[in-house]
Amino acid sequence: MPAPDFIIIGGQKCGTTWLRYHLRQHPQVYVPTKEAQFFNRRHRLARGQSWYESFFEPDAPDQVVGDKSPDYLWTTSDGTRNHIAGSHERIHDMYPDMKLVVTLRNPVNRAVSALNHFIRRGHISPLYGIDALLFGDEHSRIEGLGIIEKGFYYRELRRYLDLFDSDQILLFLFEEDILQAPEHTLRRLYDFIDVDASVEKADLGRKRGEHYLSLLGLLLQYYLLPKDLVKLLDRPLPSTKLNPSPDNVLRLYDLYEEENEKLFELIGRRPASWLRRTTPSTA
């Protein structure tokens, strides 16, 4: 049973699915289609290291093996679905020499995308309204999901850097690296995990992991109709992505401003795409 050679630790809704897709196209790399979610979930952690390593079944013995579980970056608090804080310590205790890959996205856009994700998965009704869920009377319905908390990147990344050497961590910015320079980004990633750095250019700009339903489709899914039936009924209808009001978008920017400044100083980058605006980016 192989131990992983690298782990994509997050963040959630920051392009990790795109990275996994292209890693899986590389003949020298094995990454499972499912997320192990081992270091952050109590019931899986209880199964032990041997269970974790049995999760990886490479096609060839010489393949480089990776885990992609973006909730590992959320280290600071417990949450729903058995999520427990402290992934960074558990990874370091078990694999102190592990290579880690981090992707970060404008935290305002990430929060909006994450909330739409949970609505799209049928966990939250779209009728509550995104403003009420973020800051209003329905906020309790998203507690424990990390919708807002996962965007405080500095405090999470700092915890990993307190344990791992900086050369063990490869960091990408979603907007500047994945969207604007996908080929260069993949070359850096392949170099980091020590595989052939040649890049297949097909599908480089294609999004992964984004599937939007209509408002009717979201409601039908929330009330647990069969997925095939939802897709059939939803097919001719326009897709829906819920966005907060301009005031609440600015409120999110205010919430993340101090944390972002600390992050920019830490990583030596200040992405223009993270500047304040009154509507979340659709990227």
Side-chain angles (χ1 to χ4, degrees):
M1 296 181 292
D5 300 289
F6 68 94
I7 302 176
I8 301 173
I9 60 174
Q12 183 208 48
K13 311 308 295 180
C14 294
T16 59
T17 300
W18 184 89
L19 291 181
R20 179 180 63 189
Y21 171 81
H22 287 286
L23 285 166
R24 285 181 57 81
Q25 309 313 303
H26 198 297
Q28 296 175 314
V29 182
Y30 173 81
V31 181
T33 56
K34 295 184 178 180
E35 297 172 1
Q37 298 283 1
F38 174 70
F39 295 101
N40 66 306
R41 294 205 174 167
R42 193 181 309 276
H43 65 294
R44 294 190 176 181
L45 190 65
R47 297 173 182 174
Q49 183 175 357
S50 60
W51 176 87
Y52 176 60
E53 294 184 358
S54 71
F55 192 81
F56 307 100
E57 299 178 350
D59 300 318
D62 58 346
Q63 281 184 307
V64 172
V65 173
D67 175 8
K68 176 259 190 190
S69 296
D71 279 343
Y72 292 162
L73 188 61
W74 186 27
T75 69
T76 50
S77 59
D78 295 343
T80 60
R81 298 184 297 173
N82 291 304
H83 177 87
I84 50 175
S87 296
H88 61 307
E89 295 172 333
R90 298 184 195 96
I91 294 173
H92 188 264
D93 287 346
M94 197 170 289
Y95 305 110
D97 298 323
M98 182 61 66
K99 295 179 179 181
L100 305 172
V101 181
V102 179
T103 62
L104 303 179
R105 177 183 185 180
N106 179 322
V108 174
N109 298 338
R110 195 220 68 83
V112 173
S113 179
L115 185 44
N116 274 278
H117 168 84
F118 284 106
I119 292 172
R120 194 166 60 249
R121 290 292 183 93
H123 299 304
I124 304 170
S125 171
L127 295 182
Y128 294 127
I130 195 166
D131 289 305
L133 289 165
L134 285 172
F135 296 116
D137 295 340
E138 305 295 343
H139 181 73
S140 61
R141 298 183 184 277
I142 67 170
E143 289 179 354
L145 297 176
I147 299 293
I148 292 176
E149 295 85 348
K150 290 179 182 178
F152 293 111
Y153 302 134
Y154 171 81
R155 71 183 185 186
E156 307 295 353
L157 188 57
R158 182 71 267 170
R159 285 186 159 204
Y160 274 96
L161 286 168
D162 286 342
L163 296 176
F164 294 89
D165 292 339
S166 59
D167 60 2
Q168 290 178 253
I169 301 176
L170 178 64
L171 184 142
F172 296 119
L173 298 180
F174 175 75
E175 297 85 355
E176 294 190 349
D177 297 321
I178 293 176
L179 291 186
Q180 297 181 20
E183 183 176 352
H184 179 64
T185 294
L186 287 179
R187 290 187 187 280
R188 288 178 59 201
L189 176 60
Y190 296 157
D191 281 338
F192 181 67
I193 63 174
D194 294 324
V195 297
D196 180 8
S198 59
V199 175
E200 173 58 55
K201 295 185 180 181
D203 287 344
L204 281 181
R206 184 177 175 183
K207 290 184 178 180
R208 302 286 164 184
E210 298 287 349
H211 305 284
Y212 291 101
L213 296 171
S214 69
L215 181 58
L216 175 62
L218 293 172
L219 287 169
L220 293 176
Q221 184 166 266
Y222 179 71
Y223 290 106
L224 303 179
L225 266 69
K227 289 185 178 180
D228 290 342
L229 178 59
V230 171
K231 289 180 180 179
L232 179 64
L233 295 172
D234 192 69
R235 189 174 299 160
L237 300 176
S239 61
T240 297
K241 181 179 181 181
L242 305 179
N243 285 318
S245 68
D247 285 346
N248 278 329
V249 172
L250 292 176
R251 186 171 177 180
L252 285 170
Y253 274 105
D254 289 340
L255 189 64
Y256 291 123
E257 183 176 13
E258 182 178 349
E259 186 81 359
N260 284 348
E261 288 299 322
K262 292 179 182 178
L263 176 71
F264 299 156
E265 183 175 351
L266 177 67
I267 67 175
R269 300 178 68 178
R270 182 179 293 273
S273 55
W274 290 28
L275 297 178
R276 290 166 62 93
R277 49 190 295 169
T278 56
T279 56
S281 170
T282 57

